[in-house]
Amino acid sequence: MNALVAPEPLSIVLSAEKSALLARLAEGLAAEELYWVAAWSAARAGQAQPGVRRAEATPASAPDAPRLTILYGSQTGNAKRVAEQFASRSEAAGLPVRLARADGYPQRDLAKETHLLVVISTQGDGEPPDDARGFVEFLAGKRAPRLTGLRYAVLGLGDSSYPQFCAVGRQLDERLAELGAARFAPLGEADVDVEAVAKPWSAQALEKAREALASTAPAAARSATVHALPSRGAHSREQPFAAAVLANQRIVSRDSERAVHHIELSLEGSGLRYAPGDALGVWPVNPPALVAQWLQALHLDGAHEVVHEGRSLPLAQWLSRERELTRLTRAFVAAQAAASGHADLMRVLRKENAAPFAELLDSHQPIDLLRRYRAAWRAEELVAALRPLTPRLYSIASSPRAVGEDEVHLTVAKVEYEAFGAPHWGAASAFLAAQAEDARVPVFIEANDRFRLPADDARDVIMIGPGTGVAPFRAFVQDRRETGARGRNWLFFGNRHFTRDFLYQVEWQGALKSGALHRLDLAFSRDTARKVYVQDHVREQGRELYAWLQGGAHLYVCGDANHMAKDVHAALVDIAVAHGGHSPDDARAWLADLLTQGRYARDVY
């Protein structure tokens, strides 16, 4: 057994107060996070001490030497991962590289850039990720500079099961061209199977970047590293860990309209570490009953061997573990329209029918189209037409300080409903809800650096999380209790019925009693004649909520992006107008500033 080795004392001793503060900040940080802190501290030391010379390649605000700046905007981590991979390949190819998250990039630097690559995702109804909102607005606004000396490339990430697929990537690509910049690679658009597009696009873009920089980059700059990439553990998205199920408990009443499960998983032996605010990625298996529906509807044999992209598997296995069956996409609608020849399905794909198409995506699963618009599919054609199954991300509902580093908890609402005369399921939620104790679930950690508790534990925290959106706030309250945080904690929670759907009721009541939770506002929308939601309570408590924010509180929102998060944001604007004396435009700017500061964070999906 290895003994823990205490760090050797530093030659410069901090005061007891500063040492204690530093220890609290460092506690629980992963290795890559500690390395980042060390690098940041070294950079600050170089700024503070005239006698310490900073590396010439590292200034963030003076991109005078030709280099490739890689900028990313990421909500769930995909764009960040792709940008980091591109940075690694570029450095390996000898290119001078600067990697930056959009909200950490000084906008004044844009006018000085010579080569820019942007990787950015599109959220929900065509919105940028939270960490790129400021950059997108700046680029679209009047203050954006002319960029005639810039060569650029944009890779957009999206989900074709939404109507505004890769809309933000297209917007940036067009706007950069309007400002006078020239593309060194064409716009790339990647679906949730990111690597299928990102890998070949990145290879092409890297070659073009090498050509563009070959004649301008000094040899000394080519070996310079201007950022630090996180180290990768043994287990990742590509190599998930088989986590044992420790507990799987339904936490709503039997007569609740939706089953919600509290699931505890073991990470023992994985080397995976997480912090409150992170997500757990889960690789699901499609429900067996859904696979049976597909085979029956198409009159296909599940045992038939299908060869696709060099792999041979029985059709049933392709459908069970390899292909997306529950999310409808434009590509599959087009394929089904072509296979069936049905005029109505072809018509809905036209640009002028954007609204009916959006309704189709929202209300139908692929199986519904197979039944309604009959077509003769060959097994090989079907596998090729369906996009690969991808992992689902769940906000982690536990703090490792409270449950131990080798354990992680989830709050999962099982998607199961009747539509068009047949049962429907969600892929991952049905998979997780069905797992018995000791079963194994393939998982990985997806860090969410923008959804973190404040480093200053004296700051107050406001948490708004209806339904399963309360999951990360269970982790927050656990963590603040374990660390003895001095700030107050205020939770807004909502669901349908108090007696059926009050998730973690006993825990919240215990937290109120112990002082770990200072305020709890509840909204149960179906218990009163008038439906009441969390945003209604936010408005009702607007005066005090605004006072908390003016006093330095951090605000967090978790849950549905298209409805709840927008409604809460609108309520916050109203509060700033009513209690802060802002105009509506100033209120929106005030919230945008809170986002930029990291005091308003959203984990929305």
Side-chain angles (χ1 to χ4, degrees):
M1 182 175 178
N2 294 328
L4 294 175
V5 179
E8 294 184 8
L10 299 175
S11 56
I12 299 176
V13 181
L14 297 174
S15 67
E17 181 181 358
K18 289 182 178 180
S19 296
L21 178 60
L22 183 60
R24 283 203 304 273
L25 291 175
E27 185 179 355
L29 293 182
E32 61 268 21
E33 294 171 321
L34 290 169
Y35 281 124
W36 185 92
V37 171
W40 180 84
S41 301
R44 287 293 295 263
Q47 292 172 341
Q49 301 178 42
V52 179
R53 183 168 179 246
R54 298 169 63 197
E56 293 180 1
T58 59
S61 59
D64 298 321
R67 62 162 176 228
L68 177 63
T69 293
I70 302 171
L71 197 66
Y72 68 86
S74 184
Q75 192 76 28
T76 63
N78 284 330
K80 176 185 177 184
R81 181 173 58 254
V82 171
E84 289 174 347
Q85 290 170 348
F86 195 94
S88 294
R89 295 189 190 109
S90 299
E91 285 182 347
L95 299 183
V97 174
R98 177 191 190 185
L99 176 67
R101 193 170 73 188
D103 61 353
Y105 177 76
Q107 294 171 353
R108 64 183 179 276
D109 285 3
L110 186 60
K112 307 172 188 176
E113 299 287 2
T114 59
H115 297 81
L116 176 70
L117 185 141
V118 180
V119 184
I120 192 163
S121 62
T122 296
Q123 306 308 121
D125 191 22
E127 295 184 355
D130 284 345
D131 61 4
R133 286 179 180 273
F135 178 77
V136 171
E137 290 172 3
F138 167 74
L139 202 63
K142 295 179 181 179
R143 290 188 172 86
R146 292 293 298 172
L147 301 171
T148 52
L150 177 68
R151 299 193 67 189
Y152 75 95
V154 176
L155 175 62
L157 275 57
D159 184 341
S160 60
S161 62
Y162 290 92
Q164 298 294 325
F165 174 62
C166 288
V168 177
R170 294 174 195 168
Q171 176 186 339
L172 290 187
D173 180 73
E174 293 170 3
R175 180 59 173 160
L176 288 167
E178 287 176 1
L179 294 171
R183 298 176 184 88
F184 68 76
L187 171 67
E189 296 184 340
D191 206 337
V192 291
D193 178 26
V194 176
E195 291 302 316
V197 170
K199 192 171 183 179
W201 185 91
S202 296
Q204 179 190 22
L206 178 56
E207 186 58 35
K208 296 293 184 182
R210 288 175 64 179
E211 293 173 3
L213 283 164
S215 60
T216 56
R222 289 175 191 160
S223 61
T225 299
V226 295
H227 65 281
L229 293 177
S231 60
R232 301 297 183 194
H235 294 285
S236 63
R237 185 180 191 272
E238 293 73 27
Q239 295 180 311
F241 174 71
V245 177
L246 300 174
N248 184 350
Q249 178 185 4
R250 182 182 172 114
I251 55 172
V252 292
S253 69
R254 288 295 171 187
D255 57 349
S256 176
E257 296 166 14
R258 175 177 286 188
V260 178
H261 291 249
H262 172 77
I263 297 173
E264 301 178 0
L265 301 170
S266 172
L267 299 179
E268 186 176 3
S270 68
L272 294 173
R273 294 293 178 262
Y274 69 93
D278 286 344
L280 190 75
V282 176
W283 282 96
V285 175
N286 283 313
L290 179 58
V291 174
Q293 284 183 353
W294 278 65
L295 295 174
Q296 181 181 11
L298 296 173
H299 306 290
L300 293 173
D301 179 6
H304 176 73
E305 286 287 327
V306 176
V307 178
H308 179 70
E309 295 183 345
R311 300 175 64 204
S312 178
L313 296 170
L315 176 60
Q317 190 167 337
W318 279 110
L319 297 180
S320 177
R321 297 178 175 273
E322 304 289 336
R323 287 297 179 263
E324 182 64 70
L325 303 188
T326 61
R327 292 179 174 175
L328 193 58
T329 65
R330 175 176 287 275
F332 188 75
V333 173
Q336 183 68 12
S340 66
H342 203 289
D344 288 347
L345 202 53
M346 294 178 178
R347 191 177 300 114
V348 80
L349 288 163
R350 296 175 184 168
K351 283 187 176 181
E352 62 269 23
N353 291 323
F357 178 70
E359 171 61 25
L360 180 73
L361 293 183
D362 186 56
S363 60
H364 287 61
Q365 286 193 358
I367 186 68
D368 302 318
L369 265 63
L370 297 180
R371 290 179 176 136
R372 184 175 177 183
Y373 305 102
R374 296 286 178 176
W377 279 97
R378 291 179 58 248
E380 289 75 13
E381 294 169 345
L382 180 68
V383 170
L386 291 168
R387 74 182 186 187
L389 187 63
T390 54
R392 307 309 201 245
L393 299 179
Y394 288 91
S395 302
I396 292 174
S398 58
S399 164
R401 288 190 174 97
V403 304
E405 291 186 342
D406 289 337
E407 191 171 313
V408 63
H409 298 178
L410 301 179
T411 310
V412 179
K414 182 181 179 182
V415 177
E416 185 175 18
Y417 61 96
E418 289 280 332
F420 309 108
H424 289 63
W425 302 272
S429 64
F431 169 68
L432 287 168
Q435 299 306 304
E437 290 187 17
D438 295 328
R440 295 278 176 169
V441 176
V443 303
F444 59 94
I445 299 296
E446 189 71 55
N448 189 354
D449 296 332
R450 283 187 55 82
F451 207 75
R452 291 278 187 259
L453 283 166
D456 179 0
D457 70 4
R459 293 292 185 108
D460 295 332
V461 167
I462 303 167
M463 302 162 283
I464 304 172
T468 57
V470 80
F473 304 137
R474 181 175 184 262
F476 278 16
V477 172
Q478 285 182 353
D479 203 76
R480 300 262 283 183
R481 181 191 66 215
E482 294 298 316
T483 59
R486 293 167 290 164
R488 297 170 295 174
N489 303 318
W490 185 356
L491 174 64
F492 288 85
F493 172 74
N495 218 330
R496 295 193 171 196
H497 299 283
F498 176 88
T499 57
R500 304 178 194 173
D501 309 305
F502 194 169
L503 307 184
Y504 302 114
Q505 177 182 357
V506 174
E507 291 189 28
W508 300 132
Q509 291 171 334
L512 281 170
K513 187 175 181 179
S514 69
L517 189 62
H518 298 80
R519 287 200 56 168
L520 176 62
D521 279 80
L522 302 171
F524 293 98
S525 60
R526 304 302 193 272
D527 283 347
T528 54
R530 182 179 71 89
K531 292 181 180 179
V532 178
Y533 299 101
V534 288
Q535 60 266 24
D536 298 314
H537 279 285
V538 165
R539 284 191 176 88
E540 288 174 6
Q541 304 299 329
R543 183 178 299 278
E544 187 163 2
L545 191 150
Y546 185 78
W548 277 44
L549 289 173
Q550 289 297 94
H554 285 231
L555 173 67
Y556 302 88
V557 178
C558 182
D560 173 59
N562 291 326
H563 301 290
M564 183 278 299
K566 289 182 178 179
D567 292 339
V568 167
H569 190 84
L572 294 170
V573 170
D574 292 344
I575 287 169
V577 171
H579 303 291
H582 297 280
S583 69
D585 285 345
D586 287 344
R588 284 186 281 269
W590 173 71
L591 284 174
D593 186 53
L594 290 182
L595 274 170
T596 302
Q597 293 178 41
R599 287 182 50 215
Y600 175 22
R602 308 192 307 168
D603 179 9
V604 296
Y605 38 85

